[in-house]
Amino acid sequence: MNTAGHPEATARRGLELTPFRGLRYDPDRVGSLAAVTSPPYDVVVRPDGLLHLESADPYNIVRLILPQAATPEARNAQAADTLRHWRSEGVLTADADPGLYVYEQRGDAGLLQRGIIGALRVSDPSDRVVLPHEDVMPHIVADRAALMRATSANLEPLLLTYRGNGATAATTTVVERAAGRPPLLSTTTEDGFRHRLWSLTDPDDVARVRAELAEHQALIADGHHRWATYRRLRAEHPSPSPWDHGLVLLVDTARYPLRVRAIHRLLHGLPVSDAVAALDGHFRVRRLEASLPEAMAALAEAAGAGNAFLLAGDGAFHLVDRPDTGLLARTVPTDRPEAWRTLDATVLHATLLTHVWHIPEDSAAHISYIHDAAATVEKAERDGGTAVLMHPVREEVVRDLARQGVTMPRKSTSFGPKPASGLVLRALDL
């Protein structure tokens, strides 16, 4: 986004990032910072991952982002009570001054990602400032909104990307200068990622970052449901209010490209044998006696020629490709660009789920969305369901569709690395 004209008009049209007083764990009150962090709420694989994180430390952030109780109302009340207690006990303390935060992640194979965490003014899709690329599920938005209302807090940042000017950008200069100072915190989580955080409180640095971001639009990389939640809560509260902003991490992908991975599906109550039988005459199906890495390599090769999926859950892998063109013509909507109509996720939802397997895609009782392929296969084998493993979409396809205002089917992509939850929170009363 390249805006011009009056500076105030520019700020309204572009990204408007605001400093805030971060709420952070006191390292002297917890076992370790790594032990209180978590992946984002929708990446935690229930129940195994949740129980593991809960047992890692009594103050693990999952007790706020995924509270456990008999009813939704009880869960949200529990999270609000937990947050109040942790703040009153000094487990979570507010930084003295408002600021933006520089966040760094280092992973394997030299992966390095840096970005800016701040409170971003919430905008509507019609403003073309924050571009969604996936549809959302209303029941998840309602769940996240109820939790945020109860806690009056943004408990974890969502991930946004923008295309800056790389090494010459003013924000890059500020970020990398900050990264040369001692951090506020540094920890290594069990996945091997090293996390570091710095605060930006110098007025000149903050002004430079805000001015540059006001010239850009952003793509939602991870957190569509939380962004939709921000929009819902903003609409519920007369402006101006703290709900006008939401917690985000902004990453310049011209400087720090993200990884794009697929999100897999677990179909409950559909045995692999039934799923395969229903495909007869509609898709080509080949049984693979292979390891997971070998099967995923075969999927990648098949995806290069057209729509392809891997089914698993019966001890083998079944490569599904070459859909019947007549079936696609009858089932895939024609009112979207060809790039959307040929997406694997489009064919999965419009053709396979709806017309072949007759599975309602809005039902959590029928479909789970899991980021890890091995975990999806393991759960399918244990529960007698079908794992549908996907090949990732290229980032340029995602961004081009978003710029056209076209959203992809829900849970089509997984951008990463994702920010760890628990490093900095935003309480709306600060």
Side-chain angles (χ1 to χ4, degrees):
M1 183 173 192
N2 193 0
T3 57
H6 194 280
E8 291 183 357
T10 298
R12 285 197 298 270
R13 293 177 59 196
L15 298 165
E16 187 176 333
L17 199 64
T18 299
F20 69 104
R21 290 179 63 198
L23 194 64
R24 298 188 294 110
Y25 282 100
D26 181 344
D28 294 330
R29 297 296 307 273
V30 298
S32 74
L33 289 174
V36 296
T37 63
S38 164
Y41 79 97
D42 58 337
V43 181
V44 177
V45 180
R46 297 193 198 197
D48 316 47
L50 181 63
L51 294 174
H52 171 72
L53 290 165
E54 284 184 330
S55 62
D57 191 284
Y59 298 117
N60 190 282
I61 192 68
V62 294
R63 297 180 188 275
L64 299 180
I65 63 175
L66 289 173
Q68 298 301 293
T71 67
E73 293 78 14
R75 288 197 295 270
N76 296 330
Q78 178 177 292
D81 188 57
T82 299
L83 181 57
R84 281 193 296 271
H85 277 91
W86 288 0
R87 291 181 67 179
S88 65
E89 295 169 2
V91 174
L92 288 169
T93 60
D95 286 331
D97 300 310
L100 303 176
Y101 294 84
V102 173
Y103 176 45
E104 175 189 277
Q105 293 164 279
R106 288 184 182 268
D108 57 0
L111 186 147
L112 171 63
Q113 178 174 291
R114 290 177 179 147
I116 295 278
I117 293 176
L120 183 69
R121 178 170 290 279
V122 178
S123 58
D124 294 320
S126 59
D127 296 330
R128 309 295 296 153
V129 173
V130 175
L131 306 178
H133 70 267
E134 290 183 357
D135 295 328
V136 297
M137 290 173 270
H139 71 279
I140 296 180
V141 176
D143 173 76
R144 291 294 100 184
L147 177 64
M148 287 191 205
R149 283 191 209 100
T151 57
S152 192
N154 300 151
L155 300 172
E156 48 185 346
L158 55 87
L159 175 61
L160 304 181
T161 72
Y162 69 100
R163 299 288 294 178
N165 297 320
T168 63
T171 301
T172 297
T173 301
V174 171
V175 165
E176 297 191 356
R177 188 191 318 123
R181 304 195 311 260
L184 288 176
L185 65 85
S186 178
T187 190
T188 301
T189 46
E190 64 180 7
D191 58 6
F193 272 87
R194 183 185 180 194
H195 308 263
R196 296 199 294 171
L197 192 76
W198 298 263
S199 64
L200 285 180
T201 55
D202 179 81
D204 290 339
D205 285 345
V206 170
R208 289 188 189 97
V209 170
R210 297 189 70 203
E212 184 168 80
L213 291 177
E215 300 175 356
H216 292 281
Q217 62 184 179
L219 175 73
I220 301 176
D222 184 70
H224 283 81
H225 290 92
R226 281 167 284 168
W227 183 253
T229 299
Y230 291 167
R231 291 182 53 235
R232 173 179 291 193
L233 294 172
R234 181 200 59 175
E236 293 175 0
H237 297 83
S239 185
S241 85
W243 298 101
D244 290 342
H245 295 78
L247 187 63
V248 306
L249 166 64
L250 276 160
V251 174
D252 178 1
T253 53
R255 181 66 171 168
Y256 300 108
L258 271 65
R259 294 174 174 175
V260 186
R261 291 176 173 163
I263 301 176
H264 312 291
R265 275 67 169 163
L266 174 60
L267 308 182
H268 305 286
L270 179 67
V272 176
S273 57
D274 292 351
V276 169
L279 296 173
D280 186 40
H282 298 308
F283 287 77
R284 181 176 70 169
V285 183
R286 289 174 285 165
R287 181 184 177 95
L288 305 179
E289 299 292 346
S291 66
L292 177 58
E294 292 168 339
M296 294 301 287
L299 172 62
E301 182 178 354
N307 299 119
F309 312 90
L310 267 182
L311 306 187
D314 62 350
F317 295 97
H318 306 266
L319 183 59
V320 177
D321 64 356
R322 296 188 183 179
D324 175 68
T325 56
L327 175 66
L328 297 184
R330 293 192 303 274
T331 57
V332 176
T334 58
D335 60 345
R336 305 285 183 91
E338 182 180 1
W340 180 89
R341 288 185 280 115
T342 55
L343 289 169
D344 287 339
T346 298
V347 172
L348 172 64
H349 285 261
T351 304
L352 285 170
L353 292 179
T354 302
H355 291 277
V356 176
W357 293 326
H358 306 290
I359 294 176
E361 62 172 323
D362 290 332
S363 173
H366 292 86
I367 306 176
S368 293
Y369 298 84
I370 303 176
H371 292 72
D372 182 78
T376 312
V377 174
E378 178 186 343
K379 284 181 170 293
E381 291 177 343
R382 185 175 61 205
D383 301 340
T386 294
V388 183
L389 305 184
M390 311 282 288
H391 185 67
V393 183
R394 299 192 316 277
E395 181 182 358
E396 57 266 29
V397 173
V398 177
R399 194 174 294 276
D400 286 347
L401 286 172
R403 283 175 174 156
Q404 296 177 60
V406 177
T407 55
M408 299 165 64
R410 59 201 58 172
K411 299 293 183 181
S412 293
T413 60
S414 175
F415 283 84
K418 304 177 190 304
S421 299
L423 296 181
V424 61
L425 293 66
R426 175 178 175 252
L428 273 67
D429 62 351
L430 291 174

